[in-house]
Amino acid sequence: MSNLVDLSKIDYFTEESSVEAVLGRNGSKADARLAQIWASLIQHLHQFAKDVELRQDEWDVAIDFLTSTGQICDENRQEFILLSDVMGFSMLTDAINNRRPEGATENTVLGPFHVENAPEYEMGANISLDGKGQSCLFEGRVVDLDGNPVEGARIDVWCDNEDGFYDVQQPGIQPRWNNRGVFTTGTDGAYHFKGVKPVSYPIPHDGPVGKLLIQLDRHPYRPAHMHYMVTAPGYEKIVTHTFAGEDEYLKSDAVFGVKSTLVAPFVENEGGDTKWRSPFDFVMVPEKSEG
Ligand code: BEZ
Ligand code: FE
């Protein structure tokens, strides 16, 4: 008996059989969910290379791009999330994971500038510590889908200053915790606090993602927005923004975060002690039960 292998029986990798060749390598102990994700990813990725007839020099550029995207990452900079954001992938994943009934407040992108453990304030406090910008009263209620007040809702807010930067982008220039704070609702579910009207600003664009945007002839700007993270026991966490309606970048947000239900009024606060007033109610849905 010959111990030569019958070569005609081996499924070597070919252009035509590339997907089957890769997927056929998984062993029987592969994690089921990972195998499902891997199979779809390999199919789409191989199809993509075939669709565009990917050239070697183009793939080399892509590898260099991914390498520099990784190299610029550190504890304060996450360029891969930024890449996901400008590809609309963060918003797509967020949409898949946060489908809510009509009337509930919609989610949007978290962004890189949230900081845990911001100062907790009494209702009415002013979160603008640098005294710059156009003063604004933010007010409304946290309610459930039936309009009942949600007591004990924690409203964590943050926004940029008049110059378009978050405090964490300008340590030593802006006071720590500038334009950030946490407010907790009482029995009526109401909230109000003072701050400044946010302004539009560019996402960090001095790295590989910024260069990519230039090559795609895209701008890096986000329309003016106020960030909110609203949590309450028994309710789904809301990670969202309110957007200022007249902003020039509303229809071309660099990270696709705008939803029509999140565009909030910013009206002159006649008779009040701030220039603007921005009313907005948050509508929470019960937490999904496990299983
Ligand atoms: C932000 O709104 O803070 C943000 C979101 C995505 C990327 C960069 C910034
Ligand atoms: Fe932001």
Side-chain angles (χ1 to χ4, degrees):
M1 202 173 112
S2 159
N3 58 4
L4 279 181
V5 177
D6 181 353
L7 292 178
S8 67
K9 294 249 160 47
I10 294 181
D11 292 328
Y12 286 111
F13 185 103
T14 66
E15 186 176 331
E16 293 70 31
S17 71
S18 65
V19 172
E20 292 73 21
V22 175
L23 298 185
R25 285 291 169 86
N26 291 0
S28 59
K29 292 197 275 300
D31 177 86
R33 175 65 174 156
L34 175 61
Q36 182 192 10
I37 292 171
W38 181 246
S40 181
L41 180 65
I42 295 298
Q43 275 162 20
H44 285 92
L45 203 57
H46 285 220
Q47 194 54 50
F48 146 75
K50 292 171 188 181
D51 281 351
V52 299
E53 297 246 331
L54 192 63
R55 295 198 315 256
Q56 187 62 50
D57 62 308
E58 291 167 334
W59 186 228
D60 295 344
V61 169
I63 295 288
D64 286 348
F65 171 78
L66 292 172
T67 303
S68 51
T69 297
Q71 285 169 341
I72 203 173
C73 290
D74 62 24
E75 63 194 286
N76 299 313
R77 176 95 182 230
Q78 227 309 349
E79 196 78 355
F80 280 111
I81 296 182
L82 207 56
L83 178 59
S84 159
D85 294 342
V86 302
M87 292 173 89
F89 209 76
S90 303
M91 282 304 292
L92 177 60
T93 310
D94 188 70
I96 292 167
N97 283 275
N98 294 286
R99 297 183 186 119
R100 293 193 183 129
E102 176 110 20
T105 300
E106 295 190 273
N107 249 45
T108 189
V109 65
L110 173 65
F113 302 124
H114 178 251
V115 182
E116 296 289 345
N117 303 318
E120 310 237 356
Y121 291 118
E122 295 290 319
M123 286 301 171
N126 193 341
I127 61 170
S128 167
L129 306 182
D130 64 357
K132 290 168 76 169
Q134 300 183 12
S135 59
C136 183
L137 171 69
F138 297 86
E139 61 179 354
R141 295 173 76 217
V142 183
V143 294
D144 67 16
L145 275 170
D146 298 320
N148 301 309
V150 176
E151 183 183 359
R154 204 171 173 275
I155 308 175
D156 189 343
V157 301
W158 66 106
C159 75
D160 60 345
N161 76 348
E162 190 188 29
D163 301 323
F165 294 104
Y166 291 82
D167 58 349
V168 287
Q169 293 177 287
Q170 295 190 310
I173 298 175
Q174 289 190 42
R176 190 156 185 231
W177 306 116
N178 191 28
N179 293 315
R180 296 177 188 276
V182 176
F183 298 86
T184 305
T185 58
T187 50
D188 59 359
Y191 74 89
H192 65 284
F193 64 92
K194 289 178 203 157
V196 290
K197 192 177 177 198
V199 300
S200 51
Y201 65 87
I203 62 170
H205 60 115
D206 56 343
V209 169
K211 287 196 193 111
L212 175 68
L213 292 182
I214 290 172
Q215 286 188 291
L216 291 170
D217 192 19
R218 279 175 56 176
H219 71 71
Y221 281 86
R222 299 216 62 207
H225 56 274
M226 190 79 191
H227 287 262
Y228 291 93
M229 186 184 290
V230 184
T231 49
Y235 292 91
E236 264 184 32
K237 171 159 84 174
I238 301 173
V239 176
T240 199
H241 313 343
T242 57
F243 292 91
E246 79 287 358
D247 196 282
E248 63 177 306
Y249 298 112
L250 218 47
K251 290 222 163 72
S252 65
D253 182 359
V255 301
F256 308 96
V258 183
K259 294 181 178 179
S260 61
T261 59
L262 301 179
V263 178
F266 278 78
V267 290
E268 301 261 354
N269 191 13
E270 282 169 31
D273 61 354
T274 57
K275 178 167 172 49
W276 302 99
R277 189 173 72 83
S278 183
F280 192 83
D281 290 345
F282 296 95
V283 182
M284 305 191 82
V285 295
E287 216 162 32
K288 288 188 195 82
S289 49
E290 293 293 311

